[in-house]
Amino acid sequence: MFFYSLKNLFSPPATLEKGTPPPKNYRGTILYFEETCIYCKKCEMVCPPGAIIFTYPEDGSKKLKFHYNPYLCIYCGECVRACPKPGTLVQAETPSPPATADQKPNDQWFEIEKLAVESKKKWQEARKRMREQKNKNQQ
Amino acid sequence: MGKKFVVPFGSQHVALPEPIRFVFTTENEIIRNVAVDFGYVHRGIEKACMSKFKYTQVPYVVARVCGLCSISHASGYCLAIETLMDIEVPKRAVYLRIIAHELDRIHSHLFAVSHLCEVAGYENLFMRVMRDRELVMECLEIFTGNRVQYDFVTIGGVNRDLTKEVYEELKPRLEELEKRLLQLKEIFEKDYTLQMRWKGAGVITKEMAQKYNAVGPIARASGLATDCRVEFGYFPYEELGYRMVLYHEGDIWARNMVRVDESLVSIEIAKNAMDNLPEGEINVRVRGNPNGEALVRWEAPRGELLYYVKGNGKPVLERLRIKTPTFSVIPVMKELYYNQPYALVPDITISFDPCLSCTAR
Ligand code: SF4
Ligand code: SF4
């Protein structure tokens, strides 16, 4: 024990150096590729902490906007497994960048959460108007 | 009769890793009365699981009950839901769960061992155990993709597979760890200071363990043969080389040795499971909502963990109840303090490896 300890005094630290990249297979942030997304919102529904939110466009079109909060995400990968279009959501192997005070990660996210509720209402109204218009045109 | 003094210990104390408060009434050096108070870290997890999260999301929530045994909580919950919904988990997933679970047990036990060294005043050994624990932490990080929160178990299986590369990374690390653990064991068996301090101190007799319903390593250190891993046979532990570690002394030293020996057994189980991994799926799809109730007893590193779930056909559970190992050992812990010298309090407390964030949830 004594010699072991003495040897330890002169050996490099057992912990990793600061700035060492994470190992392979690390569970990192989620990347989103819009081209293949069908806006089924399955990922939003399965996400345990609610780190994925879709906001709706005002004109009533089907092109929703994807929002992702890497600081709320627990990197579980549920969204990736739930997505019916493989390759739309990908789990990267890099951790999220450190959150700094001036980014205001929380405040921005609260705005988006509010926006999601409001924009959904507006979107539904717009859809309704569109449907009425369509019905009128047919008549 | 000497003069009585009241000595508070906790909720914040250098020798305590967790917020629990004891109020000791001592007479000279000897403890005559003790009051326990926990619940400083109540986070309302049970309520959250019953109101805010769907049952498929709950494994990730209950995993946050405890940082050290997160995988036990997740697997306990998943087992309960699987029993309730009659889901058959693929064999490969079962084996992968065992590997993760045993690795988790090793790192939790080593943490307890190192902490016990620290409160005994043996900082050097504390550092050494922590250094060796780093190996198993690395294993877990490679295996599950994260160092602390594994999010590995889901209802119906596991989230990640054990690939060839991962296997090759894990194997040498486990072998190295086994070697180092054997050296550590020798130190614990031979070291004069530790023997003086731990042997014969804080003895729980077998009758006492039975009467106060001790669980896990604490019960096994007193010669009470109880282990939920084999009692219920949820997982095929016996075919993977499981053997029960039993000590009969019941003192702090025995509790420490149980942890060291169990870590060695766990390494063996994990290695066996890795070598004999069956082929097949790692996950089955889950449909429908839980309806009915189920109760599962599951062996966490600290002892028996109890999960009760009740569903009513809706996606959100009606009731989720968690009973944690530390909660079960508090009565025997309290009993043990009577008529002990105050100087032994840190060692006795830490030898129970208390996890209060589990207990208070
Ligand atoms: S990885 Fe998990 S927490 Fe993160 S966005 Fe996907 S589902 Fe949500
Ligand atoms: S689950 Fe996939 S396809 Fe559906 S909305 Fe999310 S990213 Fe798009």
Side-chain angles (χ1 to χ4, degrees):
Chain A
M1 186 73 202
F2 177 74
F3 291 108
Y4 181 88
S5 314
L6 206 65
K7 209 177 85 205
N8 264 349
L9 270 183
F10 300 103
S11 55
T15 44
L16 298 175
E17 291 280 320
K18 187 175 172 229
T20 314
K24 261 193 102 206
N25 278 330
Y26 186 78
R27 298 199 332 252
T29 46
I30 302 295
L31 307 178
Y32 171 69
F33 300 97
E34 206 185 338
E35 305 83 57
T36 42
C37 182
I38 53 170
Y39 309 110
C40 64
K41 292 186 48 183
K42 274 196 178 139
C43 48
E44 187 184 345
M45 275 183 303
V46 295
C47 180
I52 293 179
I53 286 183
F54 281 97
T55 50
Y56 293 75
E58 286 201 9
D59 57 1
S61 71
K62 279 213 174 133
K63 217 168 164 49
L64 313 186
K65 192 160 180 335
F66 176 89
H67 298 274
Y68 167 65
N69 185 348
Y71 307 114
L72 198 56
C73 180
I74 57 172
Y75 317 115
C76 60
E78 277 287 302
C79 49
V80 180
R81 287 185 291 275
C83 183
K85 292 272 170 194
T88 312
L89 291 172
V90 175
Q91 185 151 31
E93 288 186 5
T94 44
S96 60
T100 47
D102 49 288
Q103 277 178 339
K104 297 195 183 61
N106 285 342
D107 295 351
Q108 273 177 18
W109 190 249
F110 295 150
E111 293 288 306
I112 291 173
E113 279 178 350
K114 258 186 251 154
L115 189 69
V117 179
E118 283 162 19
S119 65
K120 186 164 184 182
K121 266 189 219 140
K122 280 195 190 141
W123 181 79
Q124 278 166 342
E125 277 162 23
R127 297 288 289 182
K128 215 167 144 193
R129 256 181 277 126
M130 272 163 76
R131 244 179 282 134
E132 279 161 11
Q133 199 94 55
K134 213 169 151 193
N135 286 350
K136 247 184 233 159
N137 289 351
Q138 277 174 357
Q139 278 163 9
Chain B
M1 281 291 274
K3 201 169 165 234
K4 286 211 159 88
F5 287 96
V6 177
V7 188
F9 179 63
S11 59
Q12 300 284 328
H13 193 278
V14 278
L16 266 177
E18 315 250 352
I20 183 170
R21 182 156 181 263
F22 297 99
V23 182
F24 295 107
T25 311
T26 60
E27 206 179 282
N28 294 332
E29 277 280 289
I30 308 296
I31 294 162
R32 295 292 182 218
N33 200 1
V34 53
V36 191
D37 183 9
F38 56 91
Y40 286 87
V41 278
H42 180 70
R43 287 162 291 163
I45 286 183
E46 278 180 19
K47 186 73 193 165
C49 295
M50 295 184 299
S51 53
K52 204 169 172 339
F53 295 96
K54 289 183 210 112
Y55 80 100
T56 45
Q57 295 172 341
V58 169
Y60 302 104
V61 187
V62 290
R64 268 115 191 116
V65 167
C66 181
L68 276 171
C69 49
S70 63
I71 209 133
S72 317
H73 282 272
S75 20
Y77 171 77
C78 290
L79 265 177
I81 285 285
E82 280 151 12
T83 327
L84 178 56
M85 295 174 74
D86 276 333
I87 300 165
E88 177 130 13
V89 183
K91 189 113 198 249
R92 191 178 173 91
V94 169
Y95 270 57
L96 288 172
R97 275 187 193 180
I98 290 180
I99 298 171
H101 202 260
E102 292 313 305
L103 291 179
D104 186 67
R105 184 184 311 278
I106 299 167
H107 100 80
S108 178
H109 276 352
L110 286 186
F111 185 78
V113 168
S114 70
H115 206 134
L116 200 53
C117 298
E118 197 199 3
V119 292
Y122 208 156
E123 289 278 341
N124 197 347
L125 194 55
F126 159 70
M127 291 291 188
R128 180 163 173 183
V129 182
M130 275 308 216
R131 180 187 187 144
D132 296 348
R133 179 172 170 264
E134 200 58 29
L135 277 170
V136 67
M137 295 298 278
E138 276 168 20
C139 285
L140 276 163
E141 186 168 7
I142 298 163
F143 183 39
T144 67
N146 205 340
R147 210 177 130 94
V148 178
Q149 285 296 351
Y150 312 119
D151 294 336
F152 184 68
V153 183
T154 44
I155 299 170
V158 294
N159 284 340
R160 290 178 149 236
D161 206 353
L162 181 85
T163 54
K164 192 102 183 68
E165 296 101 66
V166 175
Y167 173 84
E168 262 144 33
E169 295 265 352
L170 292 194
K171 196 77 197 234
R173 282 191 168 82
L174 283 182
E175 251 138 42
E176 173 70 26
L177 184 66
E178 191 166 9
K179 243 186 273 157
R180 295 206 198 171
L181 268 181
L182 286 172
Q183 287 170 1
L184 277 178
K185 192 178 165 189
E186 205 182 308
I187 294 176
F188 286 122
E189 272 169 356
K190 301 251 172 73
D191 194 283
Y192 178 67
T193 332
L194 292 181
Q195 309 264 339
M196 291 279 281
R197 186 150 171 115
W198 288 346
K199 276 224 164 150
V203 177
I204 305 177
T205 55
K206 194 172 173 185
E207 292 73 47
M208 215 166 139
Q210 246 161 1
K211 186 175 164 203
Y212 292 100
N213 195 9
V215 292
I218 294 122
R220 289 196 284 277
S222 304
L224 197 65
T226 156
D227 193 328
C228 300
R229 277 180 284 177
V230 283
E231 266 171 52
F232 299 97
Y234 295 121
F235 288 170
Y237 267 105
E238 255 134 9
E239 66 191 56
L240 290 174
Y242 171 86
R243 70 193 146 80
M244 190 179 283
V245 179
L246 270 187
Y247 276 77
H248 296 275
E249 288 91 338
D251 50 6
I252 298 176
W253 182 82
R255 291 200 273 284
N256 192 46
M257 288 316 281
V258 165
R259 295 207 175 93
V260 176
D261 278 355
E262 270 186 11
S263 308
L264 284 167
V265 175
S266 290
I267 292 179
E268 207 182 308
I269 298 177
K271 277 202 298 199
N272 280 345
M274 263 170 17
D275 289 336
N276 304 321
L277 205 59
E279 292 297 318
E281 289 282 298
I282 59 162
N283 221 324
V284 286
R285 268 187 85 87
V286 180
R287 287 177 197 286
N289 291 327
N291 197 352
E293 47 186 354
L295 183 99
V296 158
R297 287 169 65 199
W298 178 242
E299 184 83 7
R302 289 175 179 76
E304 175 209 272
L305 177 70
L306 185 137
Y307 262 83
Y308 169 76
V309 291
K310 185 173 178 196
N312 50 4
K314 296 207 188 85
V316 179
L317 293 173
E318 192 181 323
R319 183 76 176 106
L320 173 75
R321 169 85 183 116
I322 313 169
K323 183 169 151 261
T324 54
T326 305
F327 184 76
S328 311
V329 296
I330 282 179
V332 65
M333 193 194 236
K334 201 176 158 207
E335 192 60 29
L336 199 57
Y337 287 131
Y338 291 118
N339 303 328
Q340 294 278 355
Y342 183 76
L344 268 182
V345 166
D347 296 64
I348 292 180
T349 317
I350 301 304
S351 74
F352 278 87
D353 192 12
C355 177
L356 269 302
S357 85
C358 289
T359 311
R361 297 183 294 283

